[in-house]
Every structure is written in C-alpha cells, then in structure tokens.
Amino acid sequence: MVHEMSQSDVSGVAEIERLCFSDPWSLDTVKEGLESSLDTWLVLEEEGNILGYCVFRVIAGEGELLRIAVLPEYRGRGLSKKLMDRLVESSIKNGVKSLSLEVRESNKKARNLYRYYGFQEETIRKNYYLNPCENAIIMWNRRI
C-alpha cells in the first residue's frame, strides 16, 4: 500500500535512505519533509514494513522527483512502479504539467523505469554525484 508519509514512517524512511544512497539525507531532513508545503513524501508499506518511498516537489505546475528508493532485498518486484504510479496520479491531481528528475548515469534500471513513464533524457550534469563521482542524467516528462 502506498500512502503519504506520517510521523511514524520517518525512521523507516531514514533507514532506507541510509541503505540505498551513498550520500543519504539525515533523519532531520526526512522529519522536515513532513512540514514542507511543496514536497509530497509517499511511503510503500507491506505488512507493517516500509519497503520504499519517494519524494517529489511541485512548484508552479512543474514537479521534480527528488528521491525514490526501495530496499535492496525487495527490488525487482515492481514496487518502484507502485510508487511511480502514485506519483503520476498525485501530479495530475495537483495540476502538474511536467516532471523532471536526475539519475546517476550508471543506473540503467532506474533510467529504464523512468523511460517507461515517458521520461526522456535531455542533458547531462557533469560530476553531479559524489561517492563515487558521477554524471547525472536530467530526464523530463513534459506531458504528464
């Protein structure tokens, strides 16, 4: 089940951050997400366990996917698609006309997922990521 993040989800989301990203957001950053009027945090939960989440920001009719992650041991089960489905649904409901994101150049699985949702690679941001240093591919879906 995908639902908006609540206070009780914060520590689980922060743990997914720690396990999935080489430069994870802090627990405080995740907590602050509950107070943001621009950001929507969605949590994927099964049988009381948080397996994944995503967060996106909407400003002036444009959305940006800031993060999406699924615990490594649950990948390959279509859970990212559940999060993406809800992100697109929420974006349409909130009048979003286009969505953007950045993704590590080496993350082929994520890039394929985003292409499935109509995102196209538009440019490269050189040396954007650290740990390890890597380019970011900027992708857009301009017709949500």
Side-chain angles (χ1 to χ4, degrees):
M1 170 178 89
V2 177
H3 59 84
E4 287 199 28
M5 184 173 73
S6 67
Q7 186 65 44
S8 64
D9 300 321
V10 168
S11 62
V13 169
E15 179 64 7
I16 292 171
E17 268 289 312
R18 187 185 70 74
L19 292 170
C20 294
F21 294 102
S22 61
D23 190 16
W25 290 350
S26 69
L27 177 63
D28 287 339
T29 298
V30 176
K31 281 181 188 174
E32 290 167 5
L34 289 171
E35 300 169 13
S36 173
S37 62
L38 301 174
D39 299 342
T40 300
W41 293 68
L42 300 174
V43 173
L44 179 96
E45 187 176 342
E46 285 184 4
E47 299 177 7
N49 298 311
I50 298 173
L51 307 182
Y53 82 96
C54 70
V55 58
F56 62 100
R57 177 169 290 160
V58 176
I59 300 174
E62 288 188 356
E64 180 183 6
L65 177 60
L66 301 174
R67 291 279 220 220
I68 185 169
V70 171
L71 287 170
E73 62 268 30
Y74 290 94
R75 292 178 184 160
R77 295 178 37 198
L79 300 179
S80 293
K81 284 187 176 183
K82 289 182 180 186
L83 288 164
M84 288 295 293
D85 288 345
R86 184 70 183 275
L87 174 138
V88 170
E89 175 187 306
S90 182
S91 294
I92 291 168
K93 179 180 163 189
N94 288 300
V96 171
K97 303 297 182 205
S98 61
L99 283 168
S100 67
L101 58 88
E102 68 242 351
V103 59
R104 281 185 180 270
E105 194 169 31
S106 65
N107 195 340
K108 305 283 189 216
K109 286 184 179 182
R111 289 166 63 188
N112 287 336
L113 172 71
Y114 303 140
R115 282 188 205 104
Y116 177 84
Y117 283 90
F119 287 83
Q120 296 181 359
E121 298 177 3
E122 293 196 6
T123 193
I124 294 175
R125 196 169 281 153
K126 294 282 187 189
N127 303 318
Y128 179 76
Y129 292 105
L130 304 175
N131 296 329
C133 184
E134 188 172 352
N135 297 337
I137 305 292
I138 309 302
M139 300 179 76
W140 280 89
N141 180 332
R142 297 190 183 271
R143 48 186 207 297
I144 287 292

